Amino acid sequence: EAGVTQFPSHSVIEKGQTVTLRCDPISGHDNLYWYRRVMGKEIKFLLHFVKESKQDESGMPNNRFLAERTGGTYSTLKVQPAELEDSGVYFCASSEGGTGTEAFFGQGTRLTVV
Amino acid sequence: GQNIDQPTEMTATEGAIVQINCTYQTSGFNGLFWYQQHAGEAPTFLSYNVLDGLEEKGRFSSFLSRSKGYSYLLLKELQMKDSASYLCAVHGSSNTGKLIFGQGTTLQVKP
């Protein structure tokens, strides 16, 4: 069974540009999460989808970040326009259930804004 | 606020036993996870504790005390491949499965 896959694995963009990250969760997992790890800091929650609906987006830094999950399958996270402080590793995770359920993580997308 | 503390780095010898501690202060609690992450790879699930006590799974065990806001991960018979980052994470809310992470403990296993 395929795990959680993320694309691209690395992205280097200039400040002010737009970047779109993609996450394909494990098939059948209704719950999809985005997290981010900024260098030297802990992994932090960004948002949570249940199917195509946003269950919790309390961790989204600002309105330059837009997440979608059309059709309740794969998800995209767009950063527009990117700023230097957006650099970090963006992780996606999926799970069958919510609380108490193991989340499976992707390898992450390393985003560098220069 | 939400706070999860774990040591930044630990070193241990191959074949030995190591205990990685985690203390947490969260507004809610619905379980604690331990994940292992090798450099450049995805975090992978090790254990889940929601009730007090010890959960054993092969060479790895995890303990939880909810009254003390404390957990530890115990690794026995250390192998070189156990060199990795170990992440403590808490489910703080019953409404969502979002995880609150500590900074992670980088474990180096030496021959």
Side-chain angles (χ1 to χ4, degrees):
Chain A
E1 179 183 347
V4 177
T5 57
Q6 294 186 242
F7 181 84
S9 56
H10 294 81
S11 180
V12 180
I13 61 171
E14 292 184 351
K15 175 182 172 181
Q17 289 186 321
T18 298
V19 63
T20 301
L21 314 181
R22 174 172 169 142
C23 169
D24 286 78
I26 292 174
S27 178
H29 282 191
D30 287 340
N31 293 271
L32 186 149
Y33 306 85
W34 284 99
Y35 292 88
R36 177 174 73 172
R37 186 168 201 168
V38 173
M39 188 180 296
K41 300 284 186 85
E42 71 274 19
I43 297 173
K44 284 195 171 178
F45 168 81
L46 296 178
L47 89 160
H48 171 207
F49 282 101
V50 177
K51 296 185 180 179
E52 68 276 7
S53 300
K54 291 176 185 174
Q55 180 80 4
D56 180 355
E57 50 185 330
S58 61
M60 294 289 264
N62 50 60
N63 59 11
R64 295 185 293 103
F65 289 74
L66 176 64
E68 294 180 322
R69 192 183 182 194
T70 308
T73 54
Y74 72 91
S75 175
T76 58
L77 179 64
K78 181 191 289 187
V79 185
Q80 178 182 29
E83 298 289 344
L84 299 179
E85 64 263 27
D86 300 333
S87 296
V89 181
Y90 290 76
F91 290 101
C92 175
S94 72
S95 67
E96 285 187 282
T99 303
T101 306
E102 171 191 352
F104 295 82
F105 281 79
Q107 287 191 313
T109 294
R110 180 173 294 278
L111 174 65
T112 303
V113 183
V114 297
Chain B
Q2 319 270 47
N3 193 48
I4 298 179
D5 285 317
Q6 47 182 134
T8 305
E9 295 179 341
M10 296 184 74
T11 302
T13 304
E14 190 176 16
I17 298 173
V18 70
Q19 177 175 313
I20 302 174
N21 297 322
C22 171
T23 58
Y24 63 89
Q25 290 177 303
T26 55
S27 55
F29 180 83
N30 285 281
L32 186 144
F33 289 82
W34 284 95
Y35 280 84
Q36 180 192 60
Q37 185 181 21
H38 286 98
E41 297 183 8
T44 56
F45 170 81
L46 288 178
S47 69
Y48 172 66
N49 295 70
V50 66
L51 300 176
D52 290 351
L54 187 68
E55 295 279 344
E56 297 185 82
K57 192 185 294 185
R59 294 189 299 114
F60 292 12
S61 302
S62 57
F63 172 83
L64 175 68
S65 169
R66 288 172 296 170
S67 63
K68 294 181 180 178
Y70 168 69
S71 173
Y72 68 72
L73 179 70
L74 194 70
L75 292 76
K76 302 175 185 175
E77 301 169 15
L78 279 173
Q79 301 175 9
M80 298 299 291
K81 67 178 182 180
D82 296 330
S83 293
S85 179
Y86 292 85
L87 307 170
C88 175
V90 169
H91 266 165
S93 166
S94 61
N95 295 328
T96 172
K98 78 178 184 184
L99 292 168
I100 305 162
F101 281 89
Q103 281 202 315
T105 298
T106 299
L107 173 66
Q108 184 179 15
V109 180
K110 294 186 173 179

